[in-house]
Amino acid sequence: MKLIRTCLFLAIAATACACDSPKTLLELDDIQRAARDTASLAAESALLVEQIRQGRLGDNYVWVHQQALQEESRKAAQSLQKPARPDLRERQQLAVVLDARLALGLQQVAQGMADPAELQRLAKSFNDIETQANALKGGKK
Amino acid sequence: MSSILELALGIMTALGGFVDIGELVFAVEAGAKFGYGLLWVVVTGTIGIAIFGEMSGRIAAVLKKPSFEIVRDHFGFGRALGVLIASNIVNVLTCAAEIGGLAIILQLVFGANYSLMLAAAAGLLLVTVFVLPFRWIERVFGLFGLTLLVYAVAAVQLGPDWGEVARGLVPKLPEPDMPGLPIYAYYVVGLLSSILMPYEIYFYSSGAIEDKWTPKDLPINKLTAGVGFALGGLLTMALIVVGADVFLPLHIDPQRLSSVVLGAAVPLGHAGFLFALAGIFFAVGGAAVETALSAGYNAAQFFGIPWGKCHKPRAVPLFTLFWMVAILLGTGIAMSGANPIEVVEYSVIFAVVVLPFTYYPILRLADNRKVMGKHVNSPIIRVLGWGYFGLICLVAAAAIPLLVATHMGQR
C-alpha cells in the first residue's frame, strides 16, 4: 500500500508540474511544434487530394476527413494564441497564416472533388504550405 | 471434424477480435514515427498476452474460476474492490473510445452528424449484445473482423524492405531524425499496454466459462491463445508496416481513425478503402462489446452474482444491468465531446497500471500445484510468466510519468 501511495503522489506531482500557467509567453519551441503539426496536416491533405483524384475514396469519407483535418489545423492555430517575444512575432504570424491557408484549402476539398483542375491547384497549395511549415519548424521532425 | 471446425473458428475469432482502436491508433502512429523500429514490442506483447490468456483459460477450464473471482479470492474484498473500480473505469473508458470509433466509422460511411452516429452505435451495441447469444457475438465480430486482414495485404503490397522489417524485431534506440527517447518509451508502453489490455483476459476467461470448457478443452485453449493471438500480433505488425511505408516518408502523423483508413486505400485503392472501413467497424465494435461485457463480468464475479450471456437476460438481471450501464456510460463520455483517440490513449496508459493487479493473482493460481494439480504451469511458462510480470510492473511504473512528460507522446 505504501508503494501505491508513493506512486500516486509522484503521478499527481508530475501532473501538477506539467500544467501550463496562463502567464506563459509563446516560445520558439511552441512555434516549431505548431509548424510541425501544420506540415504534417498539409502533407496529409495533399495525400487526401491525390487519393480523391484517383477515385479511391467515398464522398462521405472526404467530407468527414477534411473536417477532421480542419479541426486539427484550428487546434494548431489555437496553440499560437499567446503573446510572443518581439523576435518571434514574425514567425508566429507566418505560422498563423499557414494554418489559416490550410483550413481554407481544406474547406474547398469536398466541393472540388469533381474538378481535376481544382484538385491539382489544392494539391499544389498544400505542398507549398508543407514546404513553408517545414522551413519554419527547422530540421527536427 | 466438428472439433477441427471449432478450433478454426476459435483461432479466427481470437485473430479477428485481437485488434481494437488502441492497437489501430498506436500501431499506425508508431510506424509513422519510428518506422519498423517498434515491431519488437508487438512480438513481446503478443507472447505476453498469449501466456496469460492461456493461463486464464486453463484456470477457467480446470477450476471453473473466471479472472475476477481469482482477483477477489487473492486480494480479499477490500483491496479487490479497489481493483474492480480501477478495472471498470478502464473498461468504461475503453468502451467510450470504441463507441466513439464506431461512430466515426458510421460517419465516414453515411456522412451524418457525429452525435447521431454515436446514438446509433450505442443502440446497435445494446441490441446486438442483448439479442445475440455469446457464441454468435464472438463469431459475428471475430469473423467479420477478419476483413481487417486488408492491412496485412496492404503491408505486402507496399513491398517493404523485409531485411529492415526483420531488423525491427530487435530492440534498438530511435534514429537521430526520429522523435526522442521519451516519446519512443511512451510508444513502447502504449503499444505493450494496448496488446496486453486487461479486458482481453477478463473476456477470454469468462468466455471459456460461457463456452463450458473442461480440461478436455485445454488443447483448444493452448492453440487458440497461441495461434490466434500470434496471428493477431502479425496483424498489428502489418499496421506498423503500413504506418512506416505510407505515412513516415510523407512525415504525416496519422492521429485520426480516418487517417488509418487512408493507410489501406493508398496501396489497395477503393477495395482497400472499403475493406478497411468494414474491418475497423467490426474490430472496434467487437472491442466495445468485449469491454462492456467485461465490466459486467467483473462486477458480477466480484459480488458473486449469477452472470453469463448463456443465460436469458431475465435470469441474470444485475449482470445485464452492469453491461448495459457500461455501454450507456461509455456513450455518455463519448457524447460529452471527448475525442475518442485521446480517450483511448488515456485508457491504454491507465490500463497498464491495473495490469499487475489482474495478472498477479492469475499467475499465482496457475503456479499453485496444490490447486491446479497436473495442470500447473510448466517450468518454461512459470519462468516466462514471472519474467513478464516483472516487465509489466516496470511498464506500469513508467506509464503515467511518460504520459505527462511527453504530453501524450506529442513532445
Side-chain angles (χ1 to χ4, degrees):
Chain A
M1 285 309 275
K2 198 178 170 188
L3 183 69
I4 295 170
R5 272 200 294 271
T6 310
C7 289
L8 202 63
F9 173 76
L10 286 175
I12 292 167
T15 310
C17 290
C19 289
D20 281 337
S21 153
K23 285 186 184 172
T24 52
L25 284 175
L26 191 75
E27 298 291 335
L28 178 61
D29 199 34
D30 297 321
I31 297 175
Q32 287 177 327
R33 200 174 305 122
R36 183 197 65 189
D37 292 345
T38 307
S40 161
L41 290 167
E44 188 166 349
S45 306
L47 179 67
L48 174 70
V49 168
E50 180 57 30
Q51 299 306 303
I52 297 170
R53 282 172 65 186
Q54 296 187 24
R56 292 176 166 177
L57 308 170
D59 290 2
N60 289 332
Y61 174 90
V62 175
W63 274 96
V64 176
H65 190 49
Q66 61 87 14
Q67 275 176 8
L69 293 172
Q70 267 190 67
E71 184 61 35
E72 294 291 327
S73 165
R74 265 195 292 274
K75 274 189 205 162
Q78 215 166 22
S79 69
L80 296 162
Q81 305 300 320
K82 282 193 234 175
R85 293 195 321 253
D87 60 315
L88 291 178
R89 279 181 201 154
E90 203 178 320
R91 289 179 193 222
Q92 181 193 26
Q93 280 169 9
L94 179 56
V96 171
V97 168
L98 288 176
D99 275 320
R101 276 180 58 198
L102 178 61
L104 195 67
L106 281 163
Q107 279 173 23
Q108 292 156 10
V109 168
Q111 286 172 305
M113 267 190 289
D115 182 353
E118 173 69 355
L119 288 176
Q120 199 161 12
R121 188 191 67 77
L122 285 169
K124 191 176 169 306
S125 166
F126 292 139
N127 287 329
D128 183 42
I129 294 169
E130 188 196 352
T131 309
Q132 289 190 54
N134 274 329
L136 196 59
K137 82 174 185 197
K140 200 178 166 209
K141 193 193 166 199
Chain B
M1 187 62 196
S2 77
S3 63
I4 292 173
L5 181 69
E6 203 62 26
L7 180 63
L9 279 172
I11 289 170
M12 283 194 287
T13 307
L15 163 60
F18 188 86
V19 173
D20 68 358
I21 192 168
E23 270 122 11
L24 284 164
V25 171
F26 268 101
V28 177
E29 269 197 76
K33 279 191 159 72
F34 299 102
Y36 310 133
L38 288 171
L39 286 172
W40 65 271
V41 181
V42 179
V43 177
T44 309
T46 305
I47 295 172
I49 189 77
I51 289 172
F52 281 94
E54 189 279 330
M55 254 185 241
S56 68
R58 179 156 34 99
I59 293 170
V62 174
L63 304 178
K64 307 279 175 280
K65 271 195 177 198
S67 290
F68 231 86
E69 212 175 302
I70 302 168
V71 171
R72 189 197 57 199
D73 289 353
H74 184 85
F75 288 118
F77 189 88
R79 284 182 186 180
L81 183 63
V83 181
L84 173 72
I85 292 167
S87 300
N88 274 2
I89 287 174
V90 170
N91 276 332
V92 169
L93 273 180
T94 314
C95 188
E98 310 287 354
I99 293 171
L102 205 54
I104 290 173
I105 296 298
L106 289 174
Q107 203 190 12
L108 291 171
V109 174
F110 298 110
N113 175 284
Y114 178 65
S115 300
L116 187 69
M117 292 296 96
L118 265 178
L124 190 71
L125 288 174
L126 283 168
V127 171
T128 308
V129 183
F130 194 84
V131 171
L132 290 182
F134 183 80
R135 283 207 157 184
W136 280 101
I137 290 174
E138 262 189 320
R139 286 175 187 173
V140 167
F141 288 101
L143 296 181
F144 283 105
L146 289 175
T147 40
L148 211 58
L149 283 172
V150 68
Y151 283 98
V153 179
V156 174
Q157 179 73 15
L158 284 162
D161 177 343
W162 293 108
E164 275 299 311
V165 172
R167 273 187 280 281
L169 300 174
V170 181
K172 62 171 187 258
L173 292 175
E175 286 165 28
D177 60 335
M178 290 174 173
L181 203 56
I183 296 184
Y184 180 82
Y186 176 78
Y187 275 88
V188 170
V189 169
L191 258 180
L192 258 183
S193 178
S194 70
I195 294 169
L196 293 165
M197 284 295 265
Y199 81 83
E200 294 180 29
I201 295 294
Y202 307 140
F203 188 78
Y204 189 83
S205 81
S206 303
I209 291 175
E210 294 258 24
D211 281 340
K212 298 184 174 53
W213 278 6
T214 66
K216 277 185 193 164
D217 296 302
L218 288 178
I220 288 185
N221 173 44
K222 215 169 250 180
L223 278 166
T224 307
V227 182
F229 286 148
L231 292 174
L234 280 175
L235 184 53
T236 309
M237 289 163 89
L239 287 165
I240 292 187
V241 171
V242 167
D245 285 6
V246 173
F247 298 112
L248 178 62
L250 299 171
H251 302 297
I252 294 172
D253 198 1
Q255 292 177 14
R256 296 147 292 276
L257 205 52
S258 47
S259 309
V260 177
V261 177
L262 211 52
V266 170
L268 299 173
H270 196 62
F273 167 75
L274 293 176
F275 270 90
L277 283 176
I280 296 175
F281 177 84
F282 284 105
V284 167
V289 170
E290 288 181 19
T291 48
L293 280 177
S294 292
Y297 286 140
N298 291 356
Q301 289 160 11
F302 177 82
F303 291 111
I305 294 164
W307 58 273
K309 272 296 295 163
C310 52
H311 303 291
K312 290 218 163 104
R314 247 181 298 169
V316 284
L318 281 174
F319 166 69
T320 307
L321 181 73
F322 289 147
W323 67 253
M324 281 187 165
V325 167
I327 291 179
L328 293 174
L329 279 177
T331 309
I333 293 170
M335 285 254 185
S336 72
N339 178 346
I341 304 304
E342 281 178 16
V343 175
V344 81
E345 293 206 17
Y346 278 116
S347 76
V348 161
I349 296 299
F350 286 120
V352 82
V353 181
V354 181
L355 273 179
F357 301 100
T358 304
Y359 282 19
Y360 181 71
I362 293 172
L363 183 55
R364 284 293 300 268
L365 190 59
D367 242 0
N368 189 333
R369 186 175 291 278
K370 276 186 196 159
V371 181
M372 293 297 288
K374 64 178 179 176
H375 302 296
V376 71
N377 281 344
S378 68
I380 294 173
I381 295 295
R382 181 173 303 137
V383 170
L384 281 171
W386 283 106
Y388 267 96
F389 182 71
L391 177 71
I392 287 165
C393 290
L394 200 69
V395 170
I400 292 179
L402 276 172
L403 173 92
V404 175
T406 65
H407 290 251
M408 294 177 78
Q410 295 304 306
R411 298 180 190 181

